[in-house]
Amino acid sequence: MSDREVFEPLARGALVPNLASYRRLHARSLEDPDTFWAEEARNLHWKQPPPSGAPLLTYNLDPSRGQVFTRFMPGAITNVCYNALDIHVLRGNGDRVAYFCEGNDPKDVATVTYKELLGLVCRFANVLKKHGIKKGDSVLICMPMVTEAVVGMLACARIGAVHSVVFAGFSADSLAERIYDCRAKIVLTVFAFWRGTKLIELKNIIEDALHKVETKYTYKINKCIVLPHINTVATANGGDPKVRASWNNARDLWWVDECETVDNFCQVEWMDAEDPLFILYTSGSTGQPKGVVHTTAGYLVYASTTFKYVFDYKPSDVYFCTADVGWITGHTYLVYGPLANCATSVLFSGTPFHPDNDRFWDIIAKYRVSIFYTAPTAIRSLMKFGDEYVKRHDLSSLRILGSVGEPINREAWLWFRSVVGNNKCSIVDTYWQTETGGHIITPLPGATPMKPGSASFPFFGVEPTLLDDNGAIIKGPGEGYLVFKRPWPGIMRTILNNHKRFQETYFAKFPGYFFTGDGARRDQDGYLWITGRVDDMLNVSGHLMSTAQVEGALAEHSAIAEAAVVARPHPIKGESLYCFVTVNKTHRFDNVLAQELKKLVRDKIGAFAAPDEIQNAPNLPKTRSGKIMRRILRKVATGDRDVGDTSTLADENVIEELFANRRP
Ligand code: WT7
């Protein structure tokens, strides 16, 4: 990793054409944020603009001065769905393609225009209304990457319902916890779907989850609306023997049937600027998921503005974001950001490896994609198949490449640029979080000279600061905690039903600042390099989870007395889970137990959380006060004997034992 390796930006005729104009605009956005954001908000529709003279962005980030809050455009009235669809149709762009839908099977394709999408959304919004959904009600969406997932989200936004999308790879336990936490009234899902060659019987997972919701939390949802997707009603009645049919006549409804009996127009519900738009769960360091709440006006303006500048979006572009709708990237840069800009996107529901390892490249060539946004873990896993898979396809339409989810290593960055981008594309390494709503540190493709692995500079209105352990500001080159002195319109507003936890998680460590949980380094040119999480969080293939969450799952096994989990660097996944378990006196550690524990974590959290290694640890390295020293466990996991200072350990002999039982 070299600080001095620099690549010139390649996007010609960009909205922000050079570094000087970025610097000028950024300075202006900090000096007078209200003018900057008012200008950006002008492209959107406001049923009622904010009262004149009132400040647009107000906040308090210091809990000692009262409640932490951020408000943007209070008093303004709008509707996010109206801005995503209606205005484009009204302005004569109804026939523009909103999504090229590409299924798991390359032959399974469809096109949806803005006008068609509006029709689908109106109908489905009426279905939700028919079943009693009103402004402020929660609707949980657990679906793969099908058009109807987007339809469900926009239908909620249209009528003021709050959607909570949960990734369709979570276990029934994780789902149940989320359904209950947001008190979802309706659940939207699909019967079954293919992920590569694997059939996922999602409705059955939902069934298990709903059973848990009723027995464990004594809560009941009203309706579950099911998209047949594949394996239609016929299958439910015994078509494909692989699919086990589970159906509850009093509660379950078929999506298609419901849409047949409703009106094809639905008036929008006009919303206050600070009304919630959606909840999205993210992992918390206690293991309890946090329902991150995003609101209307600030999120909309921020999603729209970041999409426009960071991808240098032009009406001639075709945009392809590979993120799942279940994550924040899917929300901001697959749905709201692109739609607010009337963009044409590819919505892909398969995997990069099916039917072969060139699926992404095939899609880029097929739709002449010009902006491609993906994750380092995908880049690394595709790299290993060799350049031929890429070279087989004409990728000359590409002009901008994006990366998100974790720090991108230099090797992957260079491969992305030279092999995928043929040395002709700018790369935007976008740093952000579920909490931030949109990009906060990122290059701009026409302006920022790129350093491989550096997310570079803050977006407009964003002011990053590095702090040391004592909370003192680090000026110039240095490394520390990444914090933000002021909010931007798209920052989260609270944790659902738990404002106290919101304040404690993000504002207690450094009062007056929003703390990301990440560390960063600033080099001599002012570039920021994200160094990763400084809290007990793990990032496996871009999925964030906490050590506590995995430890909690392991501890549920009757054989386990105690568990400690650390991240171990992994060539493809970025990080992988390495678990240390102490077995009860009544049990023995063996391979069977290790397999059971892996399965338990999958069942409790989801397949993406499956541990790579389980190590027998008759003793864990603890301080005299009983705190587990994860720093030492990380050294054991990587096989690094240089464990550093061990003087605070209660028993130093533990270290030898840990190394003796180490998994290769
Ligand atoms: C965490 C947030 C943002 C959408 C996907 C993940 C890490 C994300 C980068 C990047 C270095 C990154 C951070 C962050 N991260 N993007 N470009 N460079 N690290 O959303 O699940 O909320 O995870 O992902 O550690 O805190 P998330």
Side-chain angles (χ1 to χ4, degrees):
M1 176 160 70
S2 160
D3 285 0
R4 311 211 181 249
E5 188 179 23
V6 183
F7 294 84
E8 284 312 307
L10 293 165
R12 307 248 168 276
L15 292 167
V16 183
N18 52 52
L19 195 58
S21 50
Y22 158 74
R23 293 228 152 101
R24 207 164 43 238
L25 265 168
H26 185 254
R28 211 192 292 159
S29 74
L30 293 188
E31 277 154 27
D32 185 1
D34 281 10
T35 305
F36 179 85
W37 293 116
E39 195 100 333
E40 293 300 331
R42 199 167 299 155
N43 301 320
L44 297 157
H45 176 85
W46 305 92
K47 172 82 174 160
Q48 191 178 297
S52 66
L56 289 194
L57 190 63
T58 55
Y59 58 91
N60 168 43
L61 304 187
D62 184 350
S64 70
R65 297 176 170 203
Q67 285 247 323
V68 171
F69 74 89
T70 294
R71 274 194 282 275
F72 182 70
M73 290 179 88
I77 290 176
T78 188
N79 178 284
V80 172
C81 179
Y82 192 87
N83 276 288
L85 301 177
D86 302 53
I87 50 164
H88 306 314
V89 175
L90 291 169
R91 288 172 186 170
N93 288 320
D95 292 329
R96 266 181 75 83
V97 173
Y99 293 106
F100 290 117
C101 308
E102 168 97 5
N104 184 61
D105 180 335
K107 290 195 290 294
D108 175 13
V109 291
T111 298
V112 190
T113 65
Y114 274 84
K115 198 160 65 197
E116 288 164 345
L117 191 55
L118 177 59
L120 294 168
V121 168
C122 278
R123 278 182 176 276
F124 199 71
N126 283 330
V127 171
L128 292 175
K129 277 166 91 171
K130 183 175 104 186
H131 292 291
I133 297 297
K134 294 186 301 295
K135 179 177 172 178
D137 288 343
S138 297
V139 173
L140 191 127
I141 304 176
C142 183
M143 298 175 86
M145 299 278 284
V146 290
T147 322
E148 286 81 358
V150 179
V151 169
M153 292 164 77
L154 293 170
C156 288
R158 191 165 193 86
I159 62 172
V162 181
H163 60 70
S164 165
V165 184
V166 176
F167 176 55
F170 274 111
S171 67
D173 280 318
S174 297
L175 262 158
E177 199 175 15
R178 287 159 177 74
I179 292 169
Y180 175 67
D181 188 78
C182 70
R183 306 292 193 276
K185 295 231 161 98
I186 285 188
V187 171
L188 311 181
T189 191
V190 306
F191 195 75
F193 68 98
W194 291 99
R195 187 176 280 151
T197 52
K198 205 170 157 212
L199 182 67
I200 316 279
E201 296 174 54
L202 189 57
K203 176 58 171 45
N204 289 337
I205 299 172
I206 297 281
E207 190 71 43
D208 291 348
L210 292 176
H211 179 72
K212 290 204 165 89
V213 169
E214 288 179 24
T215 50
K216 185 167 171 197
Y217 304 105
T218 57
Y219 176 77
K220 224 174 152 142
I221 64 154
N222 297 344
K223 296 287 172 206
C224 178
I225 307 181
V226 187
L227 185 77
H229 192 48
I230 56 158
N231 305 305
T232 52
V233 189
T235 312
N237 296 332
D240 186 340
K242 285 202 294 289
V243 181
R244 173 166 59 97
S246 63
W247 201 257
N248 174 339
N249 277 324
R251 183 198 64 203
D252 300 341
L253 303 163
W254 286 115
W255 188 294
V256 234
D257 296 351
E258 290 302 304
C259 290
E260 266 169 21
T261 55
V262 291
D263 237 42
N264 59 10
F265 184 73
C266 173
Q267 196 55 255
V268 306
E269 181 83 33
W270 294 109
M271 306 291 284
D272 283 335
E274 286 300 334
D275 278 336
L277 176 65
F278 66 84
I279 304 156
L280 186 61
Y281 286 94
T282 185
S283 297
S285 49
T286 61
Q288 181 84 8
K290 299 177 287 199
V292 169
V293 176
H294 283 287
T295 55
T296 300
Y299 176 80
L300 173 65
V301 171
Y302 201 69
S304 160
T305 307
T306 48
F307 178 81
K308 181 177 75 176
Y309 287 116
V310 174
F311 298 118
D312 187 44
Y313 173 73
K314 308 272 164 56
S316 53
D317 281 312
V318 175
Y319 167 79
F320 177 19
C321 165
T322 67
D324 193 278
V325 279
W327 309 114
I328 189 69
T329 311
H331 286 59
T332 310
Y333 299 114
L334 192 65
V335 180
Y336 294 112
L339 293 179
N341 283 277
C342 197
T344 295
S345 305
V346 177
L347 181 66
F348 171 47
S349 73
T351 86
F353 320 109
H354 178 80
D356 206 347
N357 300 319
D358 60 349
R359 191 65 191 281
F360 280 173
W361 325 127
D362 184 50
I363 292 173
I364 292 170
K366 179 168 169 185
Y367 298 102
R368 304 290 298 155
V369 169
S370 55
I371 307 170
F372 177 56
Y373 193 29
T374 193
T377 183
I379 299 168
R380 285 192 297 264
S381 61
L382 293 169
M383 242 172 101
K384 74 168 194 261
F385 300 117
D387 301 358
E388 297 68 42
Y389 278 101
V390 189
K391 296 268 157 73
R392 214 181 273 167
H393 301 274
D394 172 12
L395 306 187
S396 60
S397 53
L398 286 173
R399 59 183 204 97
I400 288 157
L401 303 173
S403 166
V404 60
E406 55 180 306
I408 180 166
N409 49 307
R410 179 175 172 275
E411 200 194 356
W413 193 99
L414 292 175
W415 185 82
F416 202 27
R417 181 177 185 276
S418 62
V419 180
V420 178
N422 195 21
N423 298 317
K424 293 198 169 74
C425 301
S426 280
I427 297 187
V428 287
D429 174 0
T430 61
Y431 167 81
W432 59 298
Q433 310 178 301
T434 304
E435 291 87 339
T436 70
H439 306 140
I440 51 171
I441 297 178
T442 176
L444 296 183
T448 316
M450 300 167 279
K451 294 193 183 191
S454 168
S456 74
F457 303 126
F459 189 72
F460 303 128
V462 175
E463 191 180 4
T465 303
L466 298 183
L467 299 180
D468 68 15
D469 270 316
N470 303 316
I473 295 174
I474 300 167
K475 294 221 169 83
E479 186 170 335
Y481 298 102
L482 178 61
V483 300
F484 295 86
K485 222 191 181 116
R486 54 164 113 195
W488 48 91
I491 197 172
M492 73 183 287
R493 299 301 197 257
T494 188
I495 291 174
L496 184 68
N497 303 326
N498 205 341
H499 201 69
K500 186 162 163 272
R501 185 174 177 202
F502 169 67
Q503 300 197 158
E504 280 163 5
T505 308
Y506 304 104
F507 304 94
K509 193 171 165 79
F510 302 110
Y513 295 95
F514 168 77
F515 176 41
T516 55
D518 287 306
R521 184 170 64 83
R522 193 190 293 114
D523 71 16
Q524 66 286 346
D525 301 320
Y527 279 68
L528 289 165
W529 302 69
I530 310 300
T531 52
R533 306 291 305 188
V534 296
D535 48 16
D536 289 330
M537 302 293 278
L538 302 147
N539 190 329
V540 180
S541 303
H543 300 314
L544 209 58
M545 62 196 89
S546 68
T547 54
Q549 198 181 357
V550 183
E551 286 161 6
L554 291 167
E556 286 191 28
H557 195 289
S558 58
I560 299 305
E562 196 166 15
V565 175
V566 296
R568 174 158 81 168
H570 185 280
I572 306 277
K573 298 195 263 191
E575 291 183 333
S576 67
L577 293 174
Y578 191 108
C579 311
F580 297 84
V581 295
T582 308
V583 174
N584 281 332
K585 299 261 176 305
T586 49
H587 287 77
R588 267 192 43 221
F589 183 91
D590 57 16
N591 236 336
V592 177
L593 176 63
Q595 291 311 320
E596 278 174 25
L597 291 170
K598 287 183 187 178
K599 181 170 180 304
L600 184 63
V601 178
R602 293 174 72 105
D603 290 348
K604 290 282 155 195
I605 303 173
F608 56 86
D612 274 31
E613 295 297 345
I614 309 268
Q615 173 174 335
N616 182 22
N619 297 286
L620 288 167
K622 290 186 183 167
T623 60
R624 278 173 203 94
S625 62
K627 197 169 172 345
I628 295 172
M629 292 178 74
R630 286 208 177 67
R631 173 172 66 76
I632 290 174
L633 294 177
R634 276 191 283 271
K635 294 283 186 181
V636 177
T638 53
D640 180 358
R641 291 246 167 204
D642 185 12
V643 291
D645 179 24
T646 56
S647 57
T648 52
L649 271 180
D651 174 9
E652 294 194 54
N653 297 320
V654 175
I655 296 185
E656 266 322 301
E657 186 183 81
L658 285 166
F659 274 104
N661 286 329
R662 184 176 175 266
R663 313 275 312 170

